[in-house]
Amino acid sequence: GQSLEQPSEVTAVEGAIVQINCTYQTSGFYGLSWYQQHDGGAPTFLSYNALDGLEETGRFSSFLSRSDSYGYLLLQELQMKDSASYFCAVRDMGVGDDKIIFGKGTRLHILP
Amino acid sequence: DADVTQTPRNRITKTGKRIMLECSQTKGHDRMYWYRQDPGLGLRLIYYSFDVKDINKGEISDGYSVSRQAQAKFSLSLESAIPNQTALYFCATSDRDGGNQPQHFGDGTRLSIL
């Protein structure tokens, strides 16, 4: 089966850097995605890593290590508007199957 | 106008009723998805479709059915609603180059079954 583990909550200070980790277990791993969701809003796609390494998009970076079944989302220069839930998701491909499985999400609290 | 539109936005209904949730998109994407979100459980995939009339089961398809009669529309039905189907439902789309991860979400439908 598939499973994803990420912390339920993380707290950081405005202007600081925070890292949200995600470990996964899946039989047909094909990539790791990250999504942001503000309270009452729809998820927003942030990034996708299919290969090992770091992908940077502005203040957000995402990292993947396939050998460790591990990835993280790095948020720099935190702003109050970054307070949200962040979900990692794996693309799981098998015979005749191709779907995205989400983790339970990490609630990020930002203190002024 | 929103790229992915879900109707209705809110619905309260009784156990045993048939309910249809509609999703339409103007992105021109081939792939569409229905997810369910419950507090503390994240998003769970109900059904997905790669093209018109293509239907695939997700993690939690029991009690649900879908229809994809046109590229722009993907509807989700609850044939006989039960209270544990009370949740927030999201429709999403992705293009063929998107690695099959949902890229654009609708604003969600909050469904309550009494």
Side-chain angles (χ1 to χ4, degrees), chain A residues 35 37 42 48 91 97-98 100, chain B residues 37 48 99-102 105-106:
Chain A
Y35 295 81
Q37 185 180 28
Y48 175 64
R91 184 181 181 188
D97 199 17
D98 183 358
I100 305 297
Chain B
Q37 187 172 34
Y48 61 105
N100 199 36
Q101 56 272 331
F105 284 80

Side-chain angles (χ1 to χ4, degrees), chain B residues 86-99:
Chain B
T86 293
L88 182 58
Y89 291 83
F90 286 104
C91 174
T93 74
S94 67
D95 60 28
R96 295 187 183 190
D97 297 326

Side-chain angles (χ1 to χ4, degrees), chain B residues 33-52:
Chain B
Y33 312 81
W34 275 105
Y35 282 88
R36 166 179 173 158
Q37 187 172 34
D38 297 274
L41 293 180
L43 288 148
R44 292 183 292 167
L45 181 63
I46 306 173
Y47 273 97
Y48 61 105
S49 169
F50 285 173
D51 205 344
V52 175

